[in-house]
């Protein structure tokens, strides 16, 4: 009993000293060396702290990142609670097979370094920028997109909670497109080094992560078919069907009604239409008694008819 108390006191003192030391170091580095140009090195410092996190987790226990709560710690790096389990559960809710055993789940838990937030319409991954971590979306909606030199935007994907938005950055180390928050979002960050350890230790984890990226690719191919071969109203109907199925799986639909916090311009950018054309097609879908879209809320009036009109077959989503 006495030994256990001493060990606990040692852990508390160690974490407090670690937090104080690193907090003062980060503050001094930010003020003296970088001044107002601190943001460009924030990612490198985050990667360094992610390594410290993994060391602390392995030595002192899974959720022991309390050193980041030290008063001297810069707010942008401060921990926001236990680092993983509630996060990976969101991923496993929408990616159910292959089934992980308890050891694999614990390993993924321990690989999550920290959480952070971004504001609506904020670009948080820019194309061709070197990346060292993968991003799991916890709350909110995210878009992947490319802008043309003349200012037009093509939305390539819409991500919902439980999605890794850039898992393919692990082998590629950068993206050829950008990623932005459509709403205020919260994400969990998984360093590439941790992803490498996961894939090295477990074939099941490797299969699950690989399957996730393959489903992303299947969705992307379906979007290409829509833009290249489907009529304007059918494109919108198909997108509404897809988002309904995905959000229902994530527990984010109420009956046949769900939040889709996009503007009509966003819908146009996702379907290869002009905003004016998208507006006309939305009116057609509404007047035909299929679906309504008002202020970021979709309500499916007749699911069977909407699905038939959209020629929607959900097999490309690989729902298990």
């Amino acid at each position: 009993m006495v030994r256990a108390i001493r060990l606990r006191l040692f852990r508390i003192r160690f974490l407090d000293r670690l937090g104080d030391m690193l907090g003062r170091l980060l503050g001094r580095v930010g003020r003296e060396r970088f001044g107002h140009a601190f943001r460009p090195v924030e990612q490198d410092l985050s990667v360094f702290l992610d390594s410290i996190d993994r060391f602390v987790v392995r030595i002192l226990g899974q959720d022991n990142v309390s050193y980041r709560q030290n008063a001297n710690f810069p707010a942008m790096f401060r921990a926001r609670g236990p680092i993983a389990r509630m996060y990976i559960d969101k991923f496993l809710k929408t990616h159910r097979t292959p089934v992980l055993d308890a050891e694999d789940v614990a390993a993924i838990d321990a690989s999550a370094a920290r959480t952070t937030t971004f504001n609506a319409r904020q670009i948080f991954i820019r194309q061709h920028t070197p990346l060292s971590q993968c991003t799991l979306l916890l709350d909110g909606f995210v878009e992947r997109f490319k802008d043309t030199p003349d200012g037009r935007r093509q939305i390539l994907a819409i991500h919902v909670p439980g999605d890794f938005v850039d898992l393919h950055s692990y082998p590629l180390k950068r993206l050829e497109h950008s990623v932005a928050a459509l709403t205020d979002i919260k994400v969990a960050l998984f360093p590439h080094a941790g992803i490498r350890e996961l894939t090295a230790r477990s074939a099941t984890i490797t299969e699950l992560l690989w399957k996730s990226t393959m489903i992303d690719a299947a969705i992307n191919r379906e979007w290409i078919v829509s833009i290249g071969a489907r009529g304007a109203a059918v494109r919108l109907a198909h997108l509404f069907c897809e988002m309904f199925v995905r959000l229902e799986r994530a527990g984010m639909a109420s009956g046949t009604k769900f939040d889709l916090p996009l503007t009509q311009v966003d819908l146009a950018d996702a379907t290869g239409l002009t905003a004016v054309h998208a507006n006309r097609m939305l009116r057609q879908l509404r007047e035909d008694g299929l679906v309504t879209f008002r202020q970021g809320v979709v309500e499916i009036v007749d699911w069977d008819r909407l699905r038939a009109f959209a020629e929607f077959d959900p097999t490309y989503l690989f729902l298990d």
Side-chain angles (χ1 to χ4, degrees):
M1 181 68 177
V2 174
R3 183 178 179 182
I5 293 174
R6 286 178 177 174
L7 180 60
R8 180 172 177 80
L9 289 174
F10 167 76
R11 289 177 174 176
I12 292 172
R13 290 168 183 164
F14 172 80
L15 291 169
D16 185 63
R17 291 290 297 274
L18 179 65
D20 183 70
M21 179 186 69
L22 289 175
R24 292 178 185 277
L25 175 63
L26 290 171
R28 185 163 60 249
V29 167
R31 288 192 303 272
E32 296 179 1
R33 293 194 58 190
F34 302 104
H36 295 296
F38 187 63
R39 293 290 297 184
V41 299
E42 180 183 340
Q43 184 180 47
D44 291 335
L45 291 173
S46 294
V47 173
F48 167 70
L49 289 174
D50 292 342
S51 299
I52 298 293
D53 284 346
R54 290 197 301 276
F55 169 77
V56 171
V57 164
R58 288 171 180 169
I59 299 301
L60 299 182
Q62 180 175 312
D63 293 333
N64 242 318
V65 289
S66 58
Y67 74 92
R68 291 206 192 192
Q69 301 289 2
N70 187 279
N72 288 317
F73 226 81
M76 71 179 68
F77 298 117
R78 201 164 291 160
R80 293 174 172 85
I83 62 175
R85 183 56 199 257
M86 73 177 95
Y87 310 146
I88 199 60
D89 278 353
K90 285 183 178 273
F91 175 67
L92 296 178
K93 185 174 184 178
T94 54
H95 301 78
R96 299 173 185 175
T97 61
V99 178
L100 302 181
D101 61 25
E103 289 185 3
D104 283 342
V105 172
I108 298 179
D109 286 350
S111 296
R114 65 187 181 97
T115 65
T116 190
T117 59
F118 297 99
N119 296 325
R121 303 295 165 175
Q122 181 177 353
I123 300 174
F124 60 94
I125 299 175
R126 294 188 180 274
Q127 61 179 358
H128 308 313
T129 300
L131 299 172
S132 59
Q133 56 196 4
C134 295
T135 308
L136 176 64
L137 181 60
L138 304 177
D139 292 304
F141 288 74
V142 161
E143 65 174 342
R144 289 196 272 131
F145 69 92
K146 290 195 71 128
D147 288 336
T148 62
D150 61 359
R152 290 179 295 174
R153 173 165 295 188
Q154 180 63 53
I155 295 179
L156 307 171
I158 296 172
H159 286 290
V160 303
D163 288 351
F164 270 103
V165 305
D166 60 344
L167 191 56
H168 43 302
S169 75
Y170 164 59
L172 298 176
K173 306 308 178 190
R174 66 190 68 214
L175 300 181
E176 86 295 343
H177 58 274
S178 298
V179 184
L182 287 165
T183 63
D184 291 344
I185 64 169
K186 181 177 182 181
V187 300
L189 303 176
F190 289 75
H192 286 173
I195 299 292
R196 182 181 302 110
E197 292 177 6
L198 289 173
T199 56
R201 76 176 297 278
S202 171
T204 307
I205 292 177
T206 301
E207 182 182 346
L208 181 63
L209 297 179
W210 191 10
K211 182 180 178 181
S212 172
T213 61
M214 294 301 98
I215 292 174
D216 284 347
I219 293 173
N220 186 252
R221 287 190 291 271
E222 196 68 26
W223 281 36
I224 292 173
V225 172
S226 281
I227 292 174
R230 293 181 176 126
V234 176
R235 297 180 203 179
L236 288 167
H238 197 279
L239 178 62
F240 289 145
C241 288
E242 177 190 304
M243 297 309 301
F244 169 62
V245 171
R246 292 171 60 193
L247 289 169
E248 185 180 46
R249 185 175 178 80
M252 297 177 63
S254 177
T256 54
K257 190 174 183 179
F258 57 94
D259 290 337
L260 188 63
L262 309 179
T263 66
Q264 289 191 15
V265 172
D266 293 328
L267 289 175
D269 289 344
T271 53
L273 303 172
T274 66
V276 172
H277 198 181
N279 179 271
R280 289 201 300 267
M281 295 304 98
L282 288 171
R283 184 171 66 248
Q284 176 185 321
L285 294 172
R286 181 177 66 251
E287 292 175 350
D288 288 345
L290 299 177
V291 63
T292 63
F293 176 74
R294 294 189 180 92
Q295 298 181 328
V297 177
V298 176
E299 185 169 6
I300 298 173
V301 179
D302 190 323
W303 170 244
D304 291 334
R305 288 179 57 224
L306 179 67
R307 180 173 175 174
F309 177 79
E311 303 170 353
F312 179 71
D313 178 358
T315 55
Y316 72 95
L317 297 173
F318 292 90
L319 303 174
D320 301 310

